[in-house]
Amino acid sequence: MNIFEMAKIPLQKAIETINLDPGAAAIIAVPERTLEVSIPVKMDDGSTKVFTGYRSQHSSILGPAKGGVRYHQNVSLDEVKTLAFWMTCKCAVAGLPYGGGKGGIIVDPSTLSKRELEALTRAYIDKIAPIIGEKRDIPAPDMNTNAQIMGWMMDEYSKITGQFEPGFITGKAICVGGSLGRTAATGRGVVVAALEALKLKNIAPADATCAVQGFGNVGSWTAKLFYDAGVKIVALSDVNGAIYNKDGFNPYEVDAFVQKTGSVVNYPGSEAISNADLLAMEVTVLAPCAMELQITGENADAVKALIVAEGANGPTTPDADEILDKKGIMVIPDILANGGGVTVSYFEWVQNLYRYFWSEEEVIEKQTVMMRTAFKNVYEAAQKYNVDMRVAAYIVALSTLAEAMKIRGMY
Ligand code: GLU
């Protein structure tokens, strides 16, 4: 089964639970628009290479499409469509005036020079320029893209339109209209959501332990902010391997080590473990913050955490969901748990439209309020309909989307 069909399994359960109108369900099942582009780049060795990129706009029901751009060798049309669909639902759950979109380029960026990366980035924007913009579709960072790449995108798009265009993209550096608090925002959201779950289970943060899979932007900030909240981080990982310390890590120090060596592996005082060991660790919270399809029908039974907080998009497959649910594990689904990133992207966009900027405290406070509200809405839907948190999150998203579709006369 392809990933998009798999992603729609919990959506279908939500549709059946609330008896959604078939017309509304049919609209949500497909992206509004998807563009595939060929991107020629002159490489440093004088050759020309043609890359493939995509931008999918799943929905503009609640507002302009919104979502990141991923650079990865495994990017595919199906993956981009799926990620765009998740953005629609994520924005609706978070209560944002946005639809959902996602972009991607099939490339391993570590194989490019900085000049090649910039050329690829600018050429991608040239190709998708006709369908993006502040009121149409607003890109952002995702896997392997960052504030520097957003800066090049913003510059290129501003050249195309002939105007300063900070509001067309989020996740920018502060000096070109970025928002304070954006870099840590996705991790902060994961932590806020997990702390709400701990509260429900009457567990104090100081009594909780955590294992974080992935040490990119989301994983590293999730670990740091859990640490700040008093949670003991006993296991960390990246693409090269996983590490364990029963006494806990200081993720700020691990990050400094990663900046120097490029990996968490061989961190002083740590024990090397496998990725499978990390996922099966006896911890209070397991936070998969790496990639899709990590907790599957094969390994879900080994999960011993009380709570799974999904920092990544789509880390758990539907068959794994069933197993985790039977084991009584609370899964805080991606479209709720990692919505903190796009929430602060929304704040960045608002600040760009007003050309008036907020303090970091204000950003964090507003984000925390919105995340807690989203968590509460999803938890209440789970209780009301007697479904797991993922199906509940889709119910919350669908209710908002269906109401807007109805009033817009779409069904
Ligand atoms: N790429 C992030 C996500 O998957 C952030 C998207 C955004 O800020 O628009 O949620």
Side-chain angles (χ1 to χ4, degrees), residues 66-68 87 90 102 138 140-142 170 182 313 338 341-342 345:
K66 181 85 191 83
M87 286 309 301
K90 191 185 300 186
K102 200 73 154 208
I138 305 144
D142 196 78
T170 60
R182 176 64 186 86
N313 291 312
N338 73 35
V342 70
S345 275

